[in-house]
Amino acid sequence: MATSAPAPTSPGALLLKKPVKIACIQLASGADKAANLAHARDKVREAASAGAKIVVLPECFNSPYGCDFFPSYAETLLPSPPTSEQSPSFHALSAMARENNIYLVGGSIPEQAPSKASSSSSNPDASKTYYNTSLTFSPTGALLASHRKVHLFDIEIPGKIKFKESDVLSPGNKVTIVTLPGYGKIAVAICYDIRFPELAMIAARRGCFALIYPGAFNTTTGPLHWRLQGQARAMDNQIFVALCSPARDLSAGYHAWGHSLVVDPMAQVLVEAEESETIVYAEIDGERIEEARKGIPLRDQRRFDVYADVSQGAVRFEENEE
């Protein structure tokens, strides 16, 4: 539910209540949605069998990534819960979480929603709005939160890459904070969202122990900034950061960078994949957050008399209740 911002976490609070194993599944997906969902189910089971209690899938895990694919793979999520016909991915993710007794950050899927556009438009898609949406489920299979990608991937690097998600997608409008009972709070955002430190800072000030980004950087931006962005958000906020990418498929139109990784509160990379399909794991412990914040006490040194606390102005965010 949407809510006004609570007070930021107090110094000394143990943000992660107990150690937990997190897994990022660097999934290889193709054009067959049903096959993608079945493959994701197998890999989630594998991660859970290895002891992971928080499992993350990549951006657009159920479909190819690209503006040409978003409308044809889009599913209706509202009102929630959707029927299995409206959203097979919703029900598949719910079952994966329930069957394996895990918290599941379900990467992202293309979402279709009604639009305010005139139904008389000659454009058959004018009556539809599309989002890039991440769903997080509890060990009982209940939906805990949904995040619509806030910052759309519109870039042009001459001679290398041009991509404009806004040709098809609309942006979300909130910071998404998810309470995982027994552990604490995480923030979920998607890919290009990581380039905007304000979103991460708000989540960290609200008491999150981790920032989780399903993402699909490409082979131009990936080697430049993928690891760097993960380390920067961890360093700025002194919490864990997990980035989960699709595996690279050179036969696809979009080449994902891969290199799923987990970064600790001192900005050290704990684990990093290469480009092929794999699962990377990390044991994360709240004491590492406290050690980082005691050693380099940014939380006590911020000068809000000089600059504003961005979390105080965050009027659009959503947090589920424990």
Side-chain angles (χ1 to χ4, degrees), residues 11-317:
L14 191 60
L15 302 182
L16 176 54
K17 297 175 185 178
K18 59 184 177 182
V20 64
K21 189 173 188 176
I22 187 170
C24 293
I25 299 176
Q26 189 160 289
L27 196 69
S29 298
D32 186 328
K33 182 188 288 188
N36 293 337
L37 294 176
H39 185 47
R41 181 179 182 182
D42 290 342
K43 302 307 286 186
V44 167
R45 184 184 302 115
E46 180 182 337
S49 296
K53 292 300 182 181
I54 301 174
V55 178
V56 187
L57 288 167
E59 182 179 21
C60 288
F61 81 95
N62 71 341
S63 67
Y65 177 76
C67 290
D68 291 341
F69 300 106
F70 296 139
S72 57
Y73 283 84
E75 301 180 9
T76 300
L77 297 175
L78 294 175
S80 187
T83 66
S84 56
E85 290 76 20
Q86 290 172 320
S87 182
S89 300
F90 178 102
H91 290 274
L93 289 167
S94 174
M96 292 176 212
R98 183 178 64 252
E99 292 166 357
N100 295 287
N101 193 36
I102 57 165
Y103 290 103
L104 179 62
V105 179
S108 76
I109 65 172
E111 176 194 357
Q112 174 184 308
S115 173
K116 295 179 181 178
S118 170
S119 59
S120 62
S121 171
S122 60
N123 180 356
D125 285 328
S127 61
K128 302 172 185 176
T129 299
Y130 299 100
Y131 300 97
N132 188 344
T133 303
S134 181
L135 304 172
T136 300
F137 291 87
S138 78
T140 66
L143 177 67
L144 294 178
S146 62
H147 175 79
R148 288 170 170 168
K149 191 173 187 176
V150 172
H151 304 93
L152 298 182
F153 183 50
D154 287 6
I155 71 164
E156 183 173 1
I157 301 176
K160 294 185 177 181
I161 184 171
K162 179 179 180 180
F163 204 96
K164 195 173 182 182
E165 278 188 326
S166 64
D167 282 344
V168 176
L169 299 178
S170 293
N173 61 0
K174 62 181 176 63
V175 179
T176 302
I177 296 173
V178 191
T179 297
L180 309 183
Y183 294 106
K185 299 176 184 178
I186 62 171
V188 176
I190 300 171
C191 199
Y192 201 57
D193 284 339
I194 199 173
R195 289 187 179 271
F196 299 86
E198 297 86 352
L199 187 151
M201 291 169 65
I202 291 166
R205 290 283 295 162
R206 297 298 153 198
C208 293
F209 68 82
L211 307 169
I212 297 182
Y213 297 92
F217 273 41
N218 52 73
T219 51
T220 297
T221 60
L224 287 172
H225 297 147
W226 173 258
R227 184 192 297 122
L228 181 63
Q229 290 286 349
Q231 290 179 295
R233 299 293 81 78
M235 180 187 68
D236 291 346
N237 300 291
Q238 297 179 309
I239 57 178
F240 292 95
V241 175
L243 281 63
C244 187
S245 171
R248 192 178 308 169
D249 179 1
L250 294 178
S251 69
Y254 185 90
H255 300 161
W257 173 236
H259 291 266
S260 297
L261 53 82
V262 180
V263 186
D264 79 2
M266 288 293 282
Q268 300 300 301
V269 176
L270 299 178
V271 63
E272 181 175 356
E274 294 185 352
E275 70 274 7
S276 301
E277 183 172 80
T278 189
I279 304 175
V280 294
Y281 302 91
E283 299 277 357
I284 63 176
D285 188 334
E287 292 296 340
R288 298 182 76 159
I289 301 174
E290 290 306 300
E291 289 171 6
R293 293 182 173 189
K294 288 175 181 176
I296 306 175
L298 301 181
R299 65 183 170 194
D300 304 320
Q301 296 171 331
R302 297 194 186 279
R303 291 289 307 276
F304 294 131
D305 60 320
V306 177
Y307 45 79
D309 178 353
V310 296
S311 67
Q312 294 299 320
V315 295
R316 294 290 305 179
F317 83 90

